[in-house]
Amino acid sequence: MPALAGLYPAAPDGIVNLEHGYFGAMAQPVQAALVESVDYLNRHLSPFLRSELAVQHGAVLCARLAKLINAEPHEILLTRSASESMQVLIGQYHRLAPGDGVLWSNLDYPAMRYAMAWLEGRRGVVPTELQLTLPLSGDALLEQYATAIRDTPGLKLLLLSQVFPANGQSVPVREIAALARARGVDVLVDSAHALGQLPVDVQAMGIDFAGFNLHKWIGAPPGLGFAYIRSSRLDRIEPHFGDRDYPADDIRGRLHAGMPPMSAIMAAPVALDVHAQLGGSAAKGARLAWLRNYWVQRVADLPGLQLMSPLVGDTALAAFTIDGMRARDAQAALLERFGVFTVERPVGDASLVRATVALTTTVEELDRLVEGLTVLTREAAGA
């Protein structure tokens, strides 16, 4: 991977940030492009926003994103986040009849779980939440989804994360989607944590619907995401609140967002350039996984620490609990006593502590996390 020195802004002194799963830093060229775009937009205003030039900026970005995931430009819908992308797919999927089954898991992102449960009142469906218990092997994960797909009565729609946001575990989307497709079940894939650190090829995965953001692992400005809808399945996602600005076969009618995040749209191609210069998802993912595995393998045998992610992982994220400590207390102690910023993530009625590395994370920073967990587990055992 090319040298990272000078490519990203320096972090503030004193805090080790291990919560890069929420927002990843923009590289310096991306930040410069965003500032330039904001300045341009603020000077040119509506004559630019309503011009063909503004439309072309969006079209250029859609083409770049389509190439990134092996789709077609007319299958890309620009949104403001992966959450908005998935809410479009869930809320506007209209091939459901009263009594049909919809399925998701307790490890999916909370807002997406809420939206799937909301379909009970919206469409009259029967909701089912698959209860997965961590830690969980890949084989066991696939087996439990296979059983759920087979045994859920009248199943028509499945929400599936490509990476579970709570513990960073990657999911065998291709295999699960094939099982669902064989039974006539449509799959909505939440790829918020996959794009930029794992391969995403919608053709190879055999999926028709997916939601993405660009501010985590691609390094684009915040406020920008996109949805993928296979053109042959577009009619399954109804227009947004009866939108009439676009024909029924135009994906842009699936979200009437009002003011587009134009500055982010203009700067995002620079983020895609930097992503490519760093070696793309393969090189970035390898570095992120190495850093993640470095600290995980040094704490896995600590008495009282329960690892809630695979011992060897392929993403930047991993999660744990400490016996005798609430997740929020462990998260607070790591920050207040050791200067390590992590995050508490809910899994149903329980919570985990998640630590997420970045390309710029150093071994010395991870050693501070290891030190903190060593002390906290020892103290918890002696309490």
Side-chain angles (χ1 to χ4, degrees):
M1 173 175 288
L4 298 172
L7 187 57
Y8 291 92
D13 293 334
I15 296 294
V16 173
N17 178 16
L18 293 180
E19 182 14 20
H20 296 279
Y22 186 28
F23 171 49
M26 292 177 281
Q28 300 282 21
V30 181
Q31 181 175 333
L34 179 61
V35 171
E36 182 180 344
S37 298
V38 170
D39 178 71
Y40 185 92
L41 182 62
N42 203 41
R43 286 186 289 111
H44 291 82
L45 303 170
S46 296
F48 165 66
L49 282 170
R50 295 189 179 277
S51 71
E52 183 60 28
L53 179 59
V55 174
Q56 290 173 2
H57 276 288
V60 166
L61 180 56
C62 286
R64 295 283 301 271
L65 296 174
K67 185 176 181 180
L68 191 64
I69 66 169
N70 195 16
E72 297 296 330
H74 62 271
E75 297 174 321
I76 303 299
L77 174 68
L78 296 180
T79 67
R80 288 166 290 200
S81 66
S83 292
E84 184 171 66
S85 301
M86 295 306 300
Q87 287 167 344
V88 165
L89 297 176
I90 296 169
Q92 293 164 224
Y93 182 89
H94 66 113
R95 291 296 185 93
L96 295 170
D100 285 344
V102 300
L103 177 68
W104 68 95
S105 90
N106 61 320
L107 297 182
D108 292 315
Y109 189 66
M112 307 307 81
R113 304 198 312 259
Y114 308 153
M116 291 293 286
W118 170 82
L119 290 175
E120 181 177 15
R122 167 72 168 158
R123 308 287 188 186
V125 300
V126 179
T128 300
E129 182 171 271
L130 174 60
Q131 297 298 315
L132 300 172
T133 302
L134 296 173
L136 189 64
S137 71
D139 289 342
L141 179 63
L142 180 57
E143 181 180 351
Q144 291 196 43
Y145 269 101
T147 300
I149 291 169
R150 183 191 66 215
D151 294 347
T152 301
L155 182 62
K156 290 292 187 293
L157 188 65
L158 169 66
L159 169 67
L160 187 63
S161 298
Q162 189 173 355
V163 174
F164 287 134
N167 76 332
Q169 185 166 355
S170 59
V171 176
V173 170
R174 180 175 62 85
E175 292 84 354
I176 295 172
L179 293 171
R181 185 168 55 251
R183 291 181 170 269
V185 177
D186 274 333
V187 180
L188 310 179
V189 178
D190 182 351
S191 286
H193 273 290
L195 188 68
Q197 63 170 337
L198 289 178
V200 177
D201 183 327
V202 297
Q203 310 307 328
M205 295 162 71
I207 60 175
D208 299 322
F209 310 95
F212 305 88
N213 60 52
L214 296 170
H215 66 267
K216 294 186 187 294
W217 305 110
I218 293 295
L224 186 59
F226 69 101
Y228 160 73
I229 305 174
R230 189 180 296 275
S231 58
S232 61
R233 295 290 188 268
L234 181 60
D235 62 343
R236 301 191 178 202
I237 308 298
E238 63 189 3
H240 191 234
F241 288 102
D243 183 83
R244 299 179 186 177
D245 285 351
Y246 299 98
D249 61 354
D250 191 322
I251 195 173
R252 291 174 293 177
R254 270 55 184 184
L255 178 63
H256 192 116
M259 171 66 74
M262 185 54 67
S263 297
I265 289 171
M266 295 168 69
V270 179
L272 295 174
D273 292 340
V274 173
H275 175 70
Q277 291 163 10
L278 291 174
S281 297
K284 289 169 63 177
R287 177 174 174 82
L288 292 167
W290 186 90
L291 289 164
R292 176 260 191 216
N293 292 333
Y294 174 88
W295 75 264
V296 166
Q297 292 173 15
R298 281 159 176 75
V299 303
D301 293 329
L302 288 177
L305 186 137
Q306 305 301 325
L307 189 61
M308 296 298 171
S309 304
L311 179 61
V312 177
D314 54 2
T315 74
L317 308 86
F320 58 89
T321 61
I322 296 175
D323 292 347
M325 291 189 74
R326 295 183 305 173
R328 67 182 61 180
D329 294 334
Q331 186 268 339
L334 284 170
L335 178 59
E336 294 167 6
R337 296 176 55 188
F338 302 96
V340 176
F341 186 76
T342 56
V343 66
E344 176 191 7
R345 299 307 298 156
V347 177
D349 295 331
S351 293
L352 314 173
V353 180
R354 187 185 78 190
T356 308
V357 301
L359 294 176
T360 53
T361 300
T362 66
V363 168
E364 292 74 21
E365 290 174 326
L366 295 176
D367 287 341
R368 196 190 302 186
L369 171 64
V370 172
E371 177 192 2
L373 292 177
T374 302
V375 172
L376 293 179
T377 52
R378 185 187 305 123
E379 292 177 351

